Amino acid sequence: MFLGIDHVQLLGPEGCEQEARNFYENLLGMKTVLKPENLRHRGGIWFQCGTQEVHISIQDDYIPAEKAHPAFVVEDIKTLRRKLAHEGCVLSEEEPIAGRERFFVHDPFGNRLEFLQYDK
């Protein structure tokens, strides 16, 4: 029986940790999670996202996926949309899905991210 998702792993190039912190923590508001001591030598950085985590791992010859993406549920999508646009993020739309508002952006490494809010 599945109970949920513990974390989502995204990839980035070597040395991306500070840029990831600037985007995921400073811009999006996720808190950094201290990686276990035995995994720190691999590089990368982890963030808390609600009760789940987002792990940015390092991959040699990194190339971002074009379509694969996590989707983050948010409380105030209009404010987030304005904030990201104001900070220069390029927002994109796709075909609407009934019962939710959504948009997409890319993180600094080209990972595609979806943000959505369900209708009340």
Side-chain angles (χ1 to χ4, degrees):
M1 175 188 294
F2 293 99
L3 300 178
I5 293 175
D6 177 76
H7 69 275
V8 170
Q9 182 178 32
L10 298 172
L11 301 175
E14 185 174 346
C16 72
E17 292 84 0
Q18 186 57 50
E19 197 169 8
R21 182 176 281 114
N22 290 340
F23 183 80
Y24 287 92
E25 185 172 50
N26 298 339
L27 183 58
L28 295 182
M30 296 181 189
K31 301 294 183 203
T32 301
V33 174
L34 189 60
K35 287 179 67 168
E37 180 68 37
N38 62 317
L39 300 180
R40 291 183 196 158
H41 70 279
R42 298 178 180 179
I45 187 168
W46 293 4
F47 300 96
Q48 192 69 46
C49 177
T51 59
Q52 295 81 34
E53 295 178 358
V54 175
H55 297 178
I56 308 295
S57 295
I58 305 304
Q59 180 174 317
D60 293 335
D61 301 326
Y62 169 69
I63 299 172
E66 291 183 27
K67 191 152 177 81
H69 65 277
F72 300 103
V73 178
V74 300
E75 289 183 358
D76 187 353
I77 198 164
K78 289 179 183 3
T79 297
L80 179 61
R81 182 189 302 261
R82 282 192 303 272
K83 179 179 181 179
L84 294 176
H86 177 76
E87 292 296 324
C89 295
V90 176
L91 285 62
S92 63
E93 308 286 336
E94 283 202 4
E95 190 171 335
I97 299 175
R100 63 192 88 174
E101 183 176 345
R102 67 185 185 143
F103 68 91
F104 295 82
V105 300
H106 288 87
D107 75 3
F109 324 113
N111 291 305
R112 186 172 188 237
L113 309 174
E114 179 178 357
F115 298 97
L116 63 94
Q117 181 175 355
Y118 286 91
D119 295 347
K120 295 181 180 188

